[in-house]
Amino acid sequence: MTRFKRGVCFLLAALMTFTAFTELAQTGSYAAPINEGISGEAPVMVEAPVTEGGLIDEAKNTTKKKATPTPTTVPFEAPEGAELTYRAYMHGSGWDEEYTAQGMVCGKPGKGLSIEALEIGINSDIEGKVCCNTYIDGIGWTGQAGNFEAAGSETAKKPMQRIKIYLTGKLLVKYRIFYRVCLDTNGWLGWTYDGFVAGNEDYRRCIEAIQIVLVEREKGGLTPPNINGVVSAATSSYKDASKIREYMIKKAQKYSSKTKYLVLVDSQYCFLGVFKGKKNNWELIKFYICAPGIFKIYWNGEYDLGVKSKGFYSYGSQVYWGTRIHRELWIHSITYKGHNGKKVLDGRLGGRFSHGCIRLETKDAKWVYDNVPSWSKCVLYKKKYL
């Protein structure tokens, strides 16, 4: 190529570059040259996606709220026989001076202040209590706190990130407890209930506010998913215990046992029954809410009960009053923190919360340990019949 042609090409290239930069300046856009990328690859220019609630934070896959999130109005009615109240320990301000009535917002949503501890209580003549277990940033699950006991930490100055709330005793038979939380970035999450986790398990989000509602169980069938405006995000529901009891009694009659005792575990609706008698003449003498395992291999089977154990440490927790069903499958107490621990780690019942064993309240597990002998038949079954 002659010098003249090379000069013309150079002049044309310079002119095209000048024109391109002039157009970019007019539109206000600019894409960095390839060699400005740290990795040596050309950066890609994209528009940030927009949602109704604000901009998507792609690094955390959450929605940034532009305004203070507000809770859905809950036209609740407090049930008869039990008064639920709660209060929060807020970062920077300490404990609320007054307790919050059920269904009302506790905390300061949208203010950037996290809940660090929580007190929940029920005033009732009915046996049982409301329990709470909280997950604190940098600490983990703190263990069970009972009626009006502080759950979380007042001294660690760490935000609460997740929470589980559940009932025990006859309160669990009569009522259900619904709750939901407001996170610092996500806003209000959906309702959950009876020991399921509320909060964000994937990202470190702080709880700024909470709503809690106590609801009386309906008789004769399914508790509706929408209760006085409270809609649960969970998919499973409790049924009327009387029908579960009737089904279990009818099912028990076809089984025989090597002793005068028979144990049935309903893995679907989470109840354990103890019978006394013989085939075709079994009498139900104990009927407990329990917590079966999460794995399918433990939902069905027929076994003869084996050895007993006053306590053992398994899967990072202590349990008491064990009656072996089969190999690593046991009936035992709720879980406690640490070797030979006395502080409850997980006291939830009424759902499939264990790894595989059947959890009972500690006093109920001890009754089975003391009264149901080895070689008694134990039947596990899972079937939707309601």
Side-chain angles (χ1 to χ4, degrees):
M1 182 181 294
T2 65
R3 291 183 179 179
F4 175 78
K5 291 182 178 179
R6 285 198 297 269
V8 172
C9 290
F10 179 81
L11 183 60
L12 289 174
L15 182 61
M16 292 173 64
T17 302
F18 176 79
T19 303
F21 273 96
T22 301
E23 292 175 354
L24 289 172
Q26 291 175 349
T27 60
S29 303
Y30 172 70
I34 292 177
N35 57 8
E36 289 187 10
I38 296 176
S39 64
E41 298 180 355
V44 179
M45 297 183 66
V46 295
E47 294 184 1
V50 179
T51 65
E52 184 177 350
L55 293 178
I56 294 292
D57 184 350
E58 294 186 349
K60 301 178 179 63
N61 194 27
T62 57
T63 302
K64 289 185 176 179
K65 299 291 179 181
K66 289 182 176 181
T68 301
T70 55
T72 303
T73 302
V74 182
F76 66 91
E77 294 181 4
E80 296 182 0
E83 180 187 10
L84 170 71
T85 56
Y86 44 98
R87 67 172 181 158
Y89 185 94
M90 302 297 300
H91 176 75
S93 60
W95 285 107
D96 296 337
E97 293 184 3
E98 298 181 355
Y99 282 90
T100 302
Q102 81 144 3
M104 304 304 293
V105 175
C106 178
K108 299 177 180 179
K111 301 298 183 182
L113 300 176
S114 62
I115 295 177
E116 296 179 351
L118 194 69
E119 283 184 5
I120 310 172
I122 293 179
N123 292 314
S124 177
D125 294 331
I126 302 172
E127 183 269 330
K129 59 184 178 180
V130 57
C131 297
C132 179
N133 193 353
T134 60
Y135 187 97
I136 303 298
D137 182 32
I139 298 175
W141 290 106
T142 57
Q144 175 176 289
N147 233 27
F148 294 107
E149 294 178 348
S153 177
E154 304 170 52
T155 58
K157 306 301 180 185
K158 300 280 189 179
M160 185 182 300
Q161 295 176 334
R162 287 173 253 165
I163 189 169
K164 298 181 286 190
I165 306 174
Y166 45 94
L167 305 172
T168 67
K170 293 182 180 179
L171 281 173
L172 176 59
V173 178
K174 186 173 178 60
Y175 301 102
R176 302 172 65 193
I177 192 161
F178 285 74
Y179 46 97
R180 69 174 189 158
V181 298
C182 178
L183 301 184
D184 56 351
T185 300
N186 304 68
W188 286 98
L189 303 185
W191 292 89
T192 188
Y193 65 91
D194 293 336
F196 288 95
V197 175
N200 195 319
E201 299 191 46
D202 299 320
Y203 304 100
R204 299 173 67 180
R205 299 299 183 210
C206 304
I207 296 176
E208 293 184 332
I210 188 169
Q211 286 178 281
I212 311 174
V213 179
L214 189 68
V215 178
E216 188 170 3
R217 295 181 187 271
E218 287 197 352
K219 294 187 168 83
L222 173 68
T223 300
N226 186 319
I227 305 172
N228 296 328
V230 178
V231 181
S232 173
T235 56
S236 57
S237 300
Y238 285 104
K239 307 288 184 175
D240 180 25
S242 64
K243 293 188 176 182
I244 298 171
R245 182 196 301 262
E246 292 171 4
Y247 182 89
M248 183 179 286
I249 292 173
K250 183 177 180 180
K251 184 177 180 66
Q253 304 309 317
K254 66 179 181 180
Y255 294 102
S256 59
S257 176
K258 296 176 182 177
T259 73
K260 59 182 180 180
Y261 288 90
L262 170 69
V263 177
L264 265 65
V265 178
D266 188 327
S267 303
Q268 176 66 38
Y269 302 115
C270 306
F271 281 87
L272 180 146
V274 179
F275 295 81
K276 189 174 182 180
K278 60 183 180 179
K279 185 176 181 179
N280 295 321
N281 192 25
W282 291 111
E283 178 187 359
L284 181 65
I285 58 174
K286 295 291 181 180
F287 189 62
Y288 300 130
I289 292 178
C290 67
I294 59 176
F295 299 111
K296 293 182 179 180
I297 59 172
Y298 301 116
W299 292 348
N300 297 278
E302 295 182 25
Y303 308 99
D304 291 330
L305 295 179
V307 298
K308 308 268 188 169
S309 174
K310 289 185 177 181
F312 55 89
Y313 192 80
S314 176
Y315 290 100
S317 60
Q318 178 73 32
V319 297
Y320 296 100
W321 309 115
T323 299
R324 179 180 248 163
I325 299 174
H326 177 69
R327 295 182 180 177
E328 72 276 12
L329 182 60
W330 293 72
I331 299 170
H332 59 61
S333 71
I334 55 178
T335 63
Y336 291 80
K337 199 170 186 177
H339 288 274
N340 301 315
K342 301 301 180 184
K343 183 176 177 60
V344 174
L345 178 63
D346 190 348
R348 294 177 297 168
L349 298 170
R352 290 190 285 273
F353 298 125
S354 79
H355 291 93
C357 296
I358 313 300
R359 296 180 189 171
L360 295 172
E361 283 199 34
T362 302
K363 61 181 179 61
D364 299 335
K366 186 178 187 303
W367 190 94
V368 174
Y369 175 94
D370 289 336
N371 293 278
V372 181
S374 300
W375 297 106
S376 298
K377 173 78 75 178
C378 181
V379 179
L380 292 80
Y381 60 94
K382 181 180 181 297
K383 180 181 179 180
K384 290 185 178 180
Y385 51 87
L386 294 180

